[in-house]
Amino acid sequence: MSTVKANFFLDAAGGNTAQINGITPALSSQAQAEAGTDNTTQMTPLRNLQAGVGIPHAVLEDQKASGTAGQTANNVVWTTRDLNTEVRDPTSIVTISSNEFTVTVNCWCEFETTVQSTMVSRLWNVTDATAMKMGMYVGVFSGQAGFGMSNGSAQLTAGKTYRLETYNSRGSAGAVGAASSQGVEIYA
């Protein structure tokens, strides 16, 4: 089984959780934690949890029917990865269409995708036609094949459209995930 996934985290509205220049801010209330507007109070782990900090606000995946292999990555070109399922998005911060997604708020995106042999991923800004962030490069020894995970993260801007891409430099096209036939296959 392989994974292609994008997790989205809302920005804290200037809130700071650490001690700065020897000044220890007062502890926040739950209301302050949820509002995220007071940067003079300290967030405890409990307040962070209550405010939803650290929990992805949206999760997108490439899901296929059991027994279906992952898409084919073309050779030496950037290939748009399939993203077809919103697993989590309770506050409607992202919409998905034709393997591209648009965010409705400024947010942080962490992405990961299965890659085969020698590949790398990137987050592409469709609106501005620019690469946002390159993922980690995955390579294997000459003459060997294998799968790995390429991941990265980037700050996204509200109203812009993005997609996840991979670059296959192994010399031939190949699937980016083998089917496990144990239920829904997740490739992104």
Side-chain angles (χ1 to χ4, degrees), residues 76-126:
V76 294
V77 295
W78 286 102
T79 302
T80 299
R81 292 303 302 268
D82 293 343
L83 277 175
N84 53 30
T85 306
E86 279 189 62
V87 175
R88 174 178 164 74
D89 189 11
T91 55
S92 301
I93 67 167
V94 63
T95 58
I96 187 170
S97 176
S98 301
N99 302 318
E100 297 178 348
F101 57 91
T102 303
V103 293
T104 60
V105 296
N106 293 339
C107 58
W108 185 254
C109 175
E110 295 178 352
F111 60 93
E112 61 184 23
T113 180
T114 302
V115 292
Q116 183 179 3
S117 297
T118 52
M119 298 176 89
V120 68
S121 63
R122 75 177 177 190
L123 191 61
W124 182 258
N125 179 330
V126 176

Side-chain angles (χ1 to χ4, degrees), residues 7-180:
N7 296 320
F8 301 87
F9 298 86
L10 293 177
D11 290 339
N16 192 343
T17 62
Q19 184 177 21
I20 302 173
N21 297 329
I23 299 170
T24 305
L27 291 177
S28 68
S29 67
Q30 184 173 343
Q32 289 169 319
E34 290 172 356
T37 56
D38 185 352
N39 64 0
T40 64
T41 59
Q42 185 174 8
M43 302 282 276
T44 66
L46 176 59
R47 290 290 186 235
N48 280 332
L49 185 60
Q50 290 168 331
V53 175
I55 299 169
H57 288 270
V59 177
L60 305 179
E61 293 180 348
D62 170 22
Q63 294 187 359
K64 299 191 182 332
S66 181
T68 305
Q71 74 184 94
T72 298
N74 297 316
N75 185 38
V76 294
V77 295
W78 286 102
T79 302
T80 299
R81 292 303 302 268
D82 293 343
L83 277 175
N84 53 30
T85 306
E86 279 189 62
V87 175
R88 174 178 164 74
D89 189 11
T91 55
S92 301
I93 67 167
V94 63
T95 58
I96 187 170
S97 176
S98 301
N99 302 318
E100 297 178 348
F101 57 91
T102 303
V103 293
T104 60
V105 296
N106 293 339
C107 58
W108 185 254
C109 175
E110 295 178 352
F111 60 93
E112 61 184 23
T113 180
T114 302
V115 292
Q116 183 179 3
S117 297
T118 52
M119 298 176 89
V120 68
S121 63
R122 75 177 177 190
L123 191 61
W124 182 258
N125 179 330
V126 176
T127 305
D128 298 334
T130 59
M132 291 294 299
K133 183 70 178 232
M134 297 293 288
M136 291 177 26
Y137 174 79
V138 176
V140 297
F141 295 107
S142 179
Q144 295 182 348
F147 292 98
M149 295 297 289
S150 177
N151 54 32
S153 56
Q155 179 69 42
L156 304 185
T157 303
K160 297 203 177 193
T161 299
Y162 303 90
R163 69 179 177 232
L164 187 58
E165 300 180 331
T166 53
Y167 185 85
N168 173 6
S169 60
R170 63 183 274 246
S172 62
V176 292
S180 68

